[in-house]
Amino acid sequence: MYAGVFWWCRFTVSQVSKLSVVEAEISQAGEILCAVPSVYVHGPTLAFVELSFNGQDWSTSHLSMTYIPAPRLDSLYPSSGSTLGGTELTISGVGFEGEGLTCLFRASDDDGVKNEILLEARATASSPTEVYCITPSVDYPLDMWVFLKYDGSSMLLEKAGLSFSFHRPIVMNQMFPTRGFVRGGTEVTLSGTGFLDLDSLVCRFGVVAVPARYLSANAIKCTSPSVMDNDKREVRLSVSLNGIDFSEAAVFSYDEEVELHSIRPPHLPVASNWTERHLALIGSNFVDTALAFCHFRDDGANIRTPAVFVSQSEIRCDRPALPRVGEHKVRISYNGIDTSSTFALLRIVERAVISDIKPQKVQEGAEVEILVEGMNFLHTPDLRCHFCSGVENSGFNLVSLAKWIDNSTLTCKTPRRMNMTHEGRALVSISDNGGHDYSNSIPVEVTARSNFVSMEPSLGYNEGGTTIRLRLGNLRFYENLFCVFGDDSVPARVESANEIVCAAPPHSGETQTVEVRLMSDMVHTLALSLFKYMSPPIIRSILPAVGPVEGGTSISVFGVGLSNVTHCKFTIGSSTTATVQAQHQSDFSLTCVTPHISDQEADSLVQVSHNGHDFVGDALYLYRSKPRLRSLSSPFGSDLGGKLIYIHGENFMSTSLTMCEFGKVLVDANYISSTLLSCDSPALPIGMHSLQVTLNGVDFSNSLEYESIALPQIESIHPNFGILGLKSTTVVQLRTTRLPTYHGLGCQWSNSTIITPATRLGWNLASCMAPPGLDTQSVVSLSINEESYSDKPIEFSYVVEPQISSITPDIGVSGSAVEVMVTVQDLEPFLHFNLTCSFGGSGVFEHASVRSKSIVECPFPAKYNTLDSQAPIVLQISDGVNTRQLHSPGMFTYRKKVVIASIHPLMGTIRGGTRLVVKGSNFASITNMMCTFGSKASRPIFVADDEVHCLSPEWKGGPRAVNVGISINEV
């Protein structure tokens, strides 16, 4: 383009109105290159670029560009990273505007020859003051300068770069220890390659980073942080040189803090010839780990022995060689470095030494208290005496508790299982730590023992006096025999070659079991057993207290302290006795069966015993002849019960348990005499039952038959009311359940003694006469033989008898259709019954209609020729069972039909007042006869039976013809 021509570029900055002209260059590719002049701006500023080939004439069009303030790079974090790349760099400064930023990594060799290394990485501006980019990978460690530039531009935003070092990646080979306590503070040594002595060297436990201490390029140390209760107990442990890039992680385990409670044994002798080689630490939160140790603190020095996990609450340690007498703190370590914050105390004591034992001779199998003397005896509950035969893998090896007296004296008892061996001796040593370590041993002589067979009885009462018999075998050498009951001794005597007898001494206090020793010279124990002292039982009562002379009655004995009673004794007089076994029920009761002592009636003393030898108590039992039944006052009664039955017989008694048994039902009996009882029958199933009598509720007499019969129940009654008054009677019909054909069927009224006979009308129907009613309410039930009543009475009421108060009209004419209204007082209860009426004393009744609660309509009979001319109206009320007739208080009058033969004159004025002469027959001389003129009427003047005179009434409406007639009752 215009070869040989010089080109110029003009830069115009709009905001500052500055013109800059610079000479341009032509590149080999034919591009025009212009150096951008510098311009100071406060913010992004637009500029225009124009071209000229003569410096005077400029292009008509222009290009635009933007000036931005010059950026400044202040710092770089981190300042180092792995040669593998991938480290996120944060560049801090100012002026980071726009997009398309690039991080430029540049380095050069130091051999004098410029061999520049350029690497780029995309950058991201998070704000005008921060830029992020990811480091690229390099082949080997080196230091590089980091710059910023825009994409496609070779111009650096700032000529001064920031230093960044690439180092080899960290490789971890080993970590020790791999665990520590949750409280932290465990110093962990990490071995590997790539470690650098940098301030940014850190270890990260899970998410918590802590400073690391540089030891060498192959080792560092860091201290574990503490963790909270809800934190993980296994975390990843990794290392970083820059605090951002971390190495491959190893697993570090946190252990809960150990709680040490005690140590077994709690003390050891100072000598090294221990019987056992281990100690047991007791606590909680123990962990099974291969690096567990027990640490013993002795005069500022730590002695460590291996530990073996037994359970979460026990760890076993090897015993250390601790020569110093005193207390030593024992702690646990899981990693060989850290120890538990809690500790147990181990005492190192002087070794116990035995110098003498008394007595020097004991009997085999005997529990003899021996006195042990020596030195260094500890006052501890773990003090023991050890007895062995001295023969390895044979003989005996026994232990008994020792009682400390002072530092040089103790006592213990020889074990019962210590037998005589062919050596005839036992080696005795002591242990003050529960048998873990023993003192020296001293022999005692063991002699043959007597053979204890039995002792009876083994219990007695606190009052003492119980005769004790001890049976033994091999009883050859003895003197001054005593029985020792606990702390009390009594003389014993030889009853036979193998039997010793002594009496139990009194004992004060509650129930207690004591040792009984048969002793010779109060030293050698020939026999050993247990005897139980107890308070004697107290008998409060017996039930039943009477029974047949034949015996066999099971009686209950009530009182206190009856538990484990074995025998009951019955005594008549001073010499006649019988003992039976007792059956235990509770501490307050027992049972036993009365024996047959005598054929005669007698009173017997009843006593009880716990051992079959000592009997106590003063209860009285009566042997009596059995009652015998002869007859019953009534052999039957209602299945509902309640019937009084008299029983005739003999040998009856008045006791609290005198009862009658109907079938399987017991009821109280009323004692009348030795030959007469009475009982109320209970409710029983229908049928035959046995009836017996008992005087004690256990033994029964002979039986008689008693029949339980069904009493019918009323389901309905008709009518359900009667008439009040002493002279009124009402027959009622009772609809019932099935009626038996028993005699004496009756109706009971108002739950009283009023009973009226009943008639059986069918299998479920009966009738009876209600008594005169004095009250408005009553109930009715059925009875048989005037004794048993149905349990569901039904209501029956009494009402006032109805009365006719009036009739309207009280005159009727033959052949007329007259309806007579009869007014009746107190009719309402009877309205649903059948109502009929009768006129003229004929006895012929026709149906009457109910018009209201007190009015009945009676139809006038069509034919009245045969009826009385005057008679009361009869109203008949029928309920299907009873018929009642009510008579009207006034008479009803009958008249023959009036016949008109002629009237004269046949015409009159409409003003009325015309006298008409009416001729005919059957004109009655009564006041209610009327002359009718159509719809009008006037009262006639009676002249004779065949003649009346009528005055015509005034007529309105003009002349017309009307019918003239004679009316009786206005009909």
Short mmCIF file of all heavy atoms in Angstrom, two decimals, residues 706-759:
data_model
loop_
_atom_site.label_atom_id
_atom_site.label_comp_id
_atom_site.label_asym_id
_atom_site.label_seq_id
_atom_site.Cartn_x
_atom_site.Cartn_y
_atom_site.Cartn_z
N TYR A 706 -85.83 -82.01 97.04
CA TYR A 706 -86.56 -80.75 97.00
C TYR A 706 -86.73 -80.38 95.53
O TYR A 706 -85.77 -80.44 94.74
CB TYR A 706 -85.78 -79.65 97.73
CG TYR A 706 -86.42 -78.28 97.62
CD1 TYR A 706 -87.48 -77.91 98.45
CD2 TYR A 706 -85.96 -77.36 96.67
CE1 TYR A 706 -88.05 -76.66 98.35
CE2 TYR A 706 -86.54 -76.12 96.57
CZ TYR A 706 -87.59 -75.76 97.41
OH TYR A 706 -88.16 -74.52 97.30
N GLU A 707 -87.98 -80.03 95.13
CA GLU A 707 -88.27 -79.73 93.74
C GLU A 707 -88.37 -78.22 93.54
O GLU A 707 -89.08 -77.53 94.26
CB GLU A 707 -89.58 -80.38 93.29
CG GLU A 707 -89.88 -80.15 91.80
CD GLU A 707 -91.16 -80.79 91.33
OE1 GLU A 707 -91.90 -81.32 92.20
OE2 GLU A 707 -91.43 -80.77 90.13
N SER A 708 -87.63 -77.72 92.52
CA SER A 708 -87.71 -76.32 92.14
C SER A 708 -88.63 -76.21 90.94
O SER A 708 -88.41 -76.85 89.91
CB SER A 708 -86.32 -75.79 91.78
OG SER A 708 -86.39 -74.47 91.32
N ILE A 709 -89.73 -75.45 91.10
CA ILE A 709 -90.73 -75.35 90.04
C ILE A 709 -90.68 -73.96 89.42
O ILE A 709 -90.23 -73.00 90.04
CB ILE A 709 -92.14 -75.65 90.58
CG1 ILE A 709 -92.54 -74.62 91.64
CG2 ILE A 709 -92.22 -77.06 91.14
CD1 ILE A 709 -93.94 -74.78 92.14
N ALA A 710 -91.16 -73.87 88.18
CA ALA A 710 -91.14 -72.61 87.45
C ALA A 710 -92.39 -71.82 87.77
O ALA A 710 -93.51 -72.34 87.68
CB ALA A 710 -91.05 -72.87 85.95
N LEU A 711 -92.29 -70.58 88.12
CA LEU A 711 -93.43 -69.71 88.37
C LEU A 711 -93.69 -68.92 87.09
O LEU A 711 -92.78 -68.27 86.56
CB LEU A 711 -93.11 -68.74 89.51
CG LEU A 711 -94.28 -67.85 89.95
CD1 LEU A 711 -95.35 -68.69 90.62
CD2 LEU A 711 -93.79 -66.80 90.92
N PRO A 712 -94.93 -68.99 86.58
CA PRO A 712 -95.21 -68.28 85.32
C PRO A 712 -95.11 -66.77 85.52
O PRO A 712 -95.37 -66.26 86.61
CB PRO A 712 -96.64 -68.72 85.00
CG PRO A 712 -97.23 -69.12 86.30
CD PRO A 712 -96.12 -69.72 87.09
N GLN A 713 -94.77 -66.09 84.45
CA GLN A 713 -94.63 -64.65 84.46
C GLN A 713 -95.71 -64.01 83.62
O GLN A 713 -96.06 -64.51 82.54
CB GLN A 713 -93.25 -64.23 83.93
CG GLN A 713 -92.09 -64.85 84.69
CD GLN A 713 -92.07 -64.44 86.14
OE1 GLN A 713 -92.21 -63.26 86.44
NE2 GLN A 713 -91.93 -65.40 87.03
N ILE A 714 -96.25 -62.90 84.10
CA ILE A 714 -97.31 -62.18 83.39
C ILE A 714 -96.70 -61.39 82.24
O ILE A 714 -95.74 -60.66 82.42
CB ILE A 714 -98.05 -61.24 84.35
CG1 ILE A 714 -98.69 -62.03 85.49
CG2 ILE A 714 -99.12 -60.45 83.60
CD1 ILE A 714 -99.32 -61.15 86.55
N GLU A 715 -97.29 -61.56 81.04
CA GLU A 715 -96.85 -60.80 79.88
C GLU A 715 -97.78 -59.63 79.60
O GLU A 715 -97.34 -58.57 79.16
CB GLU A 715 -96.77 -61.71 78.66
CG GLU A 715 -95.69 -62.78 78.79
CD GLU A 715 -95.61 -63.67 77.56
OE1 GLU A 715 -96.59 -63.65 76.76
OE2 GLU A 715 -94.60 -64.38 77.40
N SER A 716 -99.12 -59.80 79.83
CA SER A 716 -100.07 -58.70 79.62
C SER A 716 -101.30 -58.95 80.45
O SER A 716 -101.55 -60.07 80.92
CB SER A 716 -100.43 -58.58 78.13
OG SER A 716 -101.11 -59.74 77.69
N ILE A 717 -102.10 -57.89 80.62
CA ILE A 717 -103.33 -57.98 81.39
C ILE A 717 -104.43 -57.23 80.65
O ILE A 717 -104.17 -56.18 80.02
CB ILE A 717 -103.13 -57.39 82.81
CG1 ILE A 717 -104.40 -57.57 83.65
CG2 ILE A 717 -102.71 -55.95 82.76
CD1 ILE A 717 -104.20 -57.19 85.11
N HIS A 718 -105.66 -57.77 80.67
CA HIS A 718 -106.80 -57.11 80.03
C HIS A 718 -108.06 -57.39 80.83
O HIS A 718 -108.35 -58.54 81.13
CB HIS A 718 -106.99 -57.61 78.59
CG HIS A 718 -108.16 -56.96 77.91
ND1 HIS A 718 -108.08 -55.68 77.40
CD2 HIS A 718 -109.43 -57.42 77.66
CE1 HIS A 718 -109.24 -55.37 76.86
NE2 HIS A 718 -110.07 -56.40 77.00
N PRO A 719 -108.78 -56.33 81.14
CA PRO A 719 -108.38 -54.92 81.03
C PRO A 719 -107.32 -54.60 82.07
O PRO A 719 -107.11 -55.36 83.00
CB PRO A 719 -109.68 -54.18 81.30
CG PRO A 719 -110.43 -55.10 82.21
CD PRO A 719 -110.12 -56.49 81.75
N ASN A 720 -106.65 -53.47 81.89
CA ASN A 720 -105.58 -53.10 82.82
C ASN A 720 -106.04 -52.09 83.84
O ASN A 720 -105.22 -51.43 84.48
CB ASN A 720 -104.37 -52.58 82.05
CG ASN A 720 -104.68 -51.33 81.25
OD1 ASN A 720 -105.83 -50.89 81.22
ND2 ASN A 720 -103.67 -50.77 80.58
N PHE A 721 -107.39 -51.92 83.98
CA PHE A 721 -107.91 -51.06 85.03
C PHE A 721 -109.27 -51.56 85.46
O PHE A 721 -109.95 -52.30 84.75
CB PHE A 721 -107.98 -49.60 84.57
CG PHE A 721 -108.90 -49.35 83.40
CD1 PHE A 721 -110.26 -49.12 83.58
CD2 PHE A 721 -108.40 -49.37 82.09
CE1 PHE A 721 -111.09 -48.90 82.50
CE2 PHE A 721 -109.24 -49.16 81.02
CZ PHE A 721 -110.58 -48.93 81.22
N GLY A 722 -109.69 -51.14 86.67
CA GLY A 722 -111.00 -51.47 87.22
C GLY A 722 -111.67 -50.22 87.75
O GLY A 722 -111.18 -49.10 87.55
N ILE A 723 -112.81 -50.41 88.43
CA ILE A 723 -113.61 -49.29 88.91
C ILE A 723 -113.33 -49.07 90.39
O ILE A 723 -113.31 -50.02 91.19
CB ILE A 723 -115.11 -49.56 88.68
CG1 ILE A 723 -115.37 -49.82 87.20
CG2 ILE A 723 -115.93 -48.37 89.16
CD1 ILE A 723 -114.99 -48.69 86.28
N LEU A 724 -113.10 -47.80 90.74
CA LEU A 724 -112.92 -47.45 92.14
C LEU A 724 -114.21 -47.70 92.92
O LEU A 724 -115.31 -47.48 92.40
CB LEU A 724 -112.52 -45.98 92.28
CG LEU A 724 -111.04 -45.63 92.08
CD1 LEU A 724 -110.88 -44.12 92.01
CD2 LEU A 724 -110.20 -46.21 93.20
N GLY A 725 -114.04 -48.16 94.13
CA GLY A 725 -115.21 -48.38 94.97
C GLY A 725 -115.24 -49.76 95.57
O GLY A 725 -114.69 -50.71 95.01
N LEU A 726 -115.87 -49.87 96.72
CA LEU A 726 -115.89 -51.15 97.42
C LEU A 726 -116.83 -52.15 96.77
O LEU A 726 -116.67 -53.36 96.95
CB LEU A 726 -116.31 -50.93 98.88
CG LEU A 726 -115.31 -50.13 99.74
CD1 LEU A 726 -115.90 -49.87 101.12
CD2 LEU A 726 -114.00 -50.87 99.85
N LYS A 727 -117.83 -51.68 96.01
CA LYS A 727 -118.82 -52.59 95.46
C LYS A 727 -118.51 -52.97 94.01
O LYS A 727 -119.21 -53.82 93.44
CB LYS A 727 -120.22 -51.96 95.53
CG LYS A 727 -120.69 -51.71 96.96
CD LYS A 727 -122.09 -51.11 96.98
CE LYS A 727 -122.57 -50.87 98.42
NZ LYS A 727 -123.95 -50.30 98.46
N SER A 728 -117.51 -52.36 93.44
CA SER A 728 -117.21 -52.60 92.03
C SER A 728 -116.24 -53.78 91.89
O SER A 728 -115.30 -53.91 92.67
CB SER A 728 -116.60 -51.36 91.40
OG SER A 728 -116.26 -51.61 90.05
N THR A 729 -116.50 -54.63 90.94
CA THR A 729 -115.63 -55.77 90.66
C THR A 729 -115.28 -55.78 89.18
O THR A 729 -116.09 -55.38 88.34
CB THR A 729 -116.30 -57.10 91.05
OG1 THR A 729 -117.52 -57.24 90.32
CG2 THR A 729 -116.56 -57.15 92.54
N THR A 730 -114.07 -56.28 88.92
CA THR A 730 -113.60 -56.38 87.53
C THR A 730 -112.88 -57.70 87.36
O THR A 730 -112.01 -58.06 88.17
CB THR A 730 -112.63 -55.24 87.18
OG1 THR A 730 -113.30 -53.99 87.39
CG2 THR A 730 -112.16 -55.33 85.75
N VAL A 731 -113.26 -58.44 86.33
CA VAL A 731 -112.56 -59.67 85.98
C VAL A 731 -111.47 -59.32 84.98
O VAL A 731 -111.73 -58.62 83.99
CB VAL A 731 -113.53 -60.72 85.39
CG1 VAL A 731 -112.74 -61.96 84.96
CG2 VAL A 731 -114.60 -61.08 86.39
N VAL A 732 -110.23 -59.78 85.26
CA VAL A 732 -109.12 -59.53 84.34
C VAL A 732 -108.60 -60.85 83.80
O VAL A 732 -108.71 -61.89 84.45
CB VAL A 732 -107.98 -58.77 85.06
CG1 VAL A 732 -108.44 -57.42 85.53
CG2 VAL A 732 -107.41 -59.58 86.22
N GLN A 733 -108.08 -60.79 82.61
CA GLN A 733 -107.43 -61.94 81.98
C GLN A 733 -105.94 -61.66 81.87
O GLN A 733 -105.54 -60.58 81.43
CB GLN A 733 -108.04 -62.23 80.60
CG GLN A 733 -109.44 -62.81 80.65
CD GLN A 733 -109.94 -63.21 79.29
OE1 GLN A 733 -109.34 -62.88 78.27
NE2 GLN A 733 -111.07 -63.92 79.25
N LEU A 734 -105.14 -62.65 82.28
CA LEU A 734 -103.69 -62.52 82.30
C LEU A 734 -103.09 -63.40 81.23
O LEU A 734 -103.31 -64.61 81.21
CB LEU A 734 -103.14 -62.90 83.67
CG LEU A 734 -103.71 -62.14 84.87
CD1 LEU A 734 -103.17 -62.72 86.16
CD2 LEU A 734 -103.42 -60.66 84.78
N ARG A 735 -102.36 -62.77 80.31
CA ARG A 735 -101.60 -63.53 79.30
C ARG A 735 -100.22 -63.78 79.90
O ARG A 735 -99.52 -62.85 80.30
CB ARG A 735 -101.49 -62.73 78.02
CG ARG A 735 -100.85 -63.47 76.87
CD ARG A 735 -101.74 -64.53 76.28
NE ARG A 735 -102.98 -63.95 75.74
CZ ARG A 735 -103.92 -64.68 75.16
NH1 ARG A 735 -103.76 -66.01 75.04
NH2 ARG A 735 -105.03 -64.12 74.72
N THR A 736 -99.79 -65.05 80.01
CA THR A 736 -98.58 -65.41 80.76
C THR A 736 -97.68 -66.30 79.94
O THR A 736 -98.00 -66.67 78.81
CB THR A 736 -98.96 -66.15 82.06
OG1 THR A 736 -99.52 -67.43 81.71
CG2 THR A 736 -99.98 -65.37 82.86
N THR A 737 -96.52 -66.60 80.56
CA THR A 737 -95.73 -67.71 80.04
C THR A 737 -96.46 -69.00 80.39
O THR A 737 -97.55 -68.97 80.95
CB THR A 737 -94.33 -67.69 80.68
OG1 THR A 737 -94.46 -67.73 82.11
CG2 THR A 737 -93.57 -66.43 80.30
N ARG A 738 -95.88 -70.14 80.08
CA ARG A 738 -96.60 -71.40 80.25
C ARG A 738 -97.07 -71.57 81.69
O ARG A 738 -96.31 -71.43 82.63
CB ARG A 738 -95.72 -72.58 79.86
CG ARG A 738 -96.39 -73.94 80.01
CD ARG A 738 -95.52 -75.04 79.47
NE ARG A 738 -95.40 -74.93 78.03
CZ ARG A 738 -96.29 -75.39 77.16
NH1 ARG A 738 -97.39 -76.00 77.59
NH2 ARG A 738 -96.10 -75.26 75.85
N LEU A 739 -98.37 -71.90 81.81
CA LEU A 739 -98.98 -72.08 83.12
C LEU A 739 -98.97 -73.56 83.49
O LEU A 739 -99.52 -74.39 82.75
CB LEU A 739 -100.43 -71.58 83.12
CG LEU A 739 -100.65 -70.08 83.28
CD1 LEU A 739 -102.11 -69.75 83.04
CD2 LEU A 739 -100.26 -69.64 84.67
N PRO A 740 -98.34 -73.90 84.59
CA PRO A 740 -98.42 -75.30 85.03
C PRO A 740 -99.82 -75.59 85.59
O PRO A 740 -100.60 -74.69 85.90
CB PRO A 740 -97.35 -75.39 86.10
CG PRO A 740 -97.26 -74.00 86.63
CD PRO A 740 -97.53 -73.07 85.48
N THR A 741 -100.11 -76.85 85.74
CA THR A 741 -101.44 -77.25 86.25
C THR A 741 -101.41 -77.44 87.75
O THR A 741 -101.94 -78.41 88.28
CB THR A 741 -101.89 -78.55 85.54
OG1 THR A 741 -100.90 -79.55 85.77
CG2 THR A 741 -102.08 -78.32 84.06
N TYR A 742 -100.71 -76.51 88.45
CA TYR A 742 -100.64 -76.63 89.90
C TYR A 742 -101.94 -76.14 90.53
O TYR A 742 -102.66 -75.30 89.98
CB TYR A 742 -99.48 -75.81 90.46
CG TYR A 742 -98.13 -76.24 89.96
CD1 TYR A 742 -97.22 -75.32 89.45
CD2 TYR A 742 -97.77 -77.59 89.99
CE1 TYR A 742 -95.99 -75.72 88.99
CE2 TYR A 742 -96.55 -77.99 89.53
CZ TYR A 742 -95.66 -77.07 89.03
OH TYR A 742 -94.44 -77.48 88.57
N HIS A 743 -102.23 -76.67 91.70
CA HIS A 743 -103.35 -76.14 92.48
C HIS A 743 -102.89 -74.91 93.23
O HIS A 743 -101.71 -74.71 93.45
CB HIS A 743 -103.85 -77.21 93.48
CG HIS A 743 -104.37 -78.46 92.80
ND1 HIS A 743 -105.51 -78.49 92.04
CD2 HIS A 743 -103.86 -79.72 92.77
CE1 HIS A 743 -105.71 -79.72 91.57
NE2 HIS A 743 -104.70 -80.49 92.00
N GLY A 744 -103.83 -74.11 93.66
CA GLY A 744 -103.51 -72.93 94.45
C GLY A 744 -103.05 -71.75 93.62
O GLY A 744 -102.36 -70.87 94.14
N LEU A 745 -103.42 -71.70 92.32
CA LEU A 745 -103.06 -70.56 91.48
C LEU A 745 -103.88 -69.35 91.91
O LEU A 745 -105.10 -69.43 92.08
CB LEU A 745 -103.32 -70.89 90.00
CG LEU A 745 -102.87 -69.86 88.99
CD1 LEU A 745 -101.35 -69.72 89.02
CD2 LEU A 745 -103.34 -70.27 87.59
N GLY A 746 -103.24 -68.19 92.09
CA GLY A 746 -103.94 -66.99 92.52
C GLY A 746 -103.28 -65.74 92.01
O GLY A 746 -102.21 -65.78 91.40
N CYS A 747 -103.98 -64.62 92.21
CA CYS A 747 -103.45 -63.31 91.84
C CYS A 747 -103.20 -62.51 93.12
O CYS A 747 -104.08 -62.44 93.99
CB CYS A 747 -104.44 -62.55 90.96
SG CYS A 747 -104.75 -63.33 89.35
N GLN A 748 -102.04 -61.94 93.21
CA GLN A 748 -101.70 -61.09 94.34
C GLN A 748 -101.79 -59.64 93.89
O GLN A 748 -101.31 -59.27 92.82
CB GLN A 748 -100.29 -61.37 94.85
CG GLN A 748 -99.94 -60.52 96.06
CD GLN A 748 -98.45 -60.44 96.30
OE1 GLN A 748 -97.70 -60.70 95.39
NE2 GLN A 748 -98.06 -60.08 97.49
N TRP A 749 -102.37 -58.81 94.73
CA TRP A 749 -102.64 -57.42 94.35
C TRP A 749 -101.89 -56.47 95.27
O TRP A 749 -101.85 -56.65 96.48
CB TRP A 749 -104.16 -57.14 94.44
CG TRP A 749 -104.94 -58.04 93.52
CD1 TRP A 749 -105.41 -59.28 93.81
CD2 TRP A 749 -105.27 -57.77 92.17
NE1 TRP A 749 -106.04 -59.83 92.71
CE2 TRP A 749 -105.98 -58.90 91.68
CE3 TRP A 749 -105.08 -56.68 91.31
CZ2 TRP A 749 -106.47 -58.98 90.39
CZ3 TRP A 749 -105.58 -56.76 90.02
CH2 TRP A 749 -106.25 -57.90 89.57
N SER A 750 -101.26 -55.49 94.63
CA SER A 750 -100.57 -54.38 95.34
C SER A 750 -99.52 -54.88 96.31
O SER A 750 -99.32 -54.30 97.37
CB SER A 750 -101.60 -53.52 96.09
OG SER A 750 -102.48 -52.90 95.19
N ASN A 751 -98.83 -55.99 95.98
CA ASN A 751 -97.73 -56.50 96.82
C ASN A 751 -98.17 -56.68 98.27
O ASN A 751 -97.40 -56.46 99.21
CB ASN A 751 -96.52 -55.56 96.76
CG ASN A 751 -95.88 -55.55 95.39
OD1 ASN A 751 -95.88 -56.57 94.71
ND2 ASN A 751 -95.37 -54.41 94.98
N SER A 752 -99.43 -57.04 98.45
CA SER A 752 -99.95 -57.21 99.81
C SER A 752 -100.43 -58.64 99.99
O SER A 752 -100.13 -59.52 99.20
CB SER A 752 -101.08 -56.22 100.05
OG SER A 752 -102.19 -56.54 99.22
N THR A 753 -101.17 -58.83 101.03
CA THR A 753 -101.68 -60.18 101.31
C THR A 753 -103.00 -60.45 100.61
O THR A 753 -103.60 -61.51 100.82
CB THR A 753 -101.86 -60.34 102.83
OG1 THR A 753 -102.74 -59.32 103.31
CG2 THR A 753 -100.52 -60.21 103.53
N ILE A 754 -103.48 -59.50 99.81
CA ILE A 754 -104.74 -59.70 99.09
C ILE A 754 -104.48 -60.63 97.92
O ILE A 754 -103.76 -60.28 96.99
CB ILE A 754 -105.33 -58.37 98.60
CG1 ILE A 754 -105.60 -57.45 99.78
CG2 ILE A 754 -106.62 -58.62 97.81
CD1 ILE A 754 -106.09 -56.07 99.39
N ILE A 755 -105.02 -61.80 97.99
CA ILE A 755 -104.86 -62.80 96.92
C ILE A 755 -106.25 -63.26 96.53
O ILE A 755 -107.06 -63.67 97.38
CB ILE A 755 -103.99 -63.98 97.37
CG1 ILE A 755 -102.58 -63.49 97.74
CG2 ILE A 755 -103.91 -65.04 96.28
CD1 ILE A 755 -101.70 -64.57 98.31
N THR A 756 -106.53 -63.21 95.25
CA THR A 756 -107.82 -63.71 94.74
C THR A 756 -107.55 -64.95 93.91
O THR A 756 -106.53 -65.04 93.23
CB THR A 756 -108.52 -62.65 93.90
OG1 THR A 756 -107.67 -62.29 92.80
CG2 THR A 756 -108.81 -61.40 94.73
N PRO A 757 -108.46 -65.93 93.96
CA PRO A 757 -108.25 -67.16 93.19
C PRO A 757 -108.17 -66.86 91.70
O PRO A 757 -108.83 -65.94 91.19
CB PRO A 757 -109.47 -68.01 93.53
CG PRO A 757 -110.00 -67.43 94.80
CD PRO A 757 -109.69 -65.97 94.77
N ALA A 758 -107.35 -67.63 91.01
CA ALA A 758 -107.21 -67.49 89.56
C ALA A 758 -107.67 -68.78 88.89
O ALA A 758 -107.54 -69.87 89.45
CB ALA A 758 -105.77 -67.18 89.19
N THR A 759 -108.23 -68.63 87.71
CA THR A 759 -108.72 -69.77 86.92
C THR A 759 -107.83 -69.94 85.71
O THR A 759 -107.58 -68.98 84.97
CB THR A 759 -110.17 -69.55 86.48
OG1 THR A 759 -110.98 -69.35 87.64
CG2 THR A 759 -110.68 -70.75 85.70
#
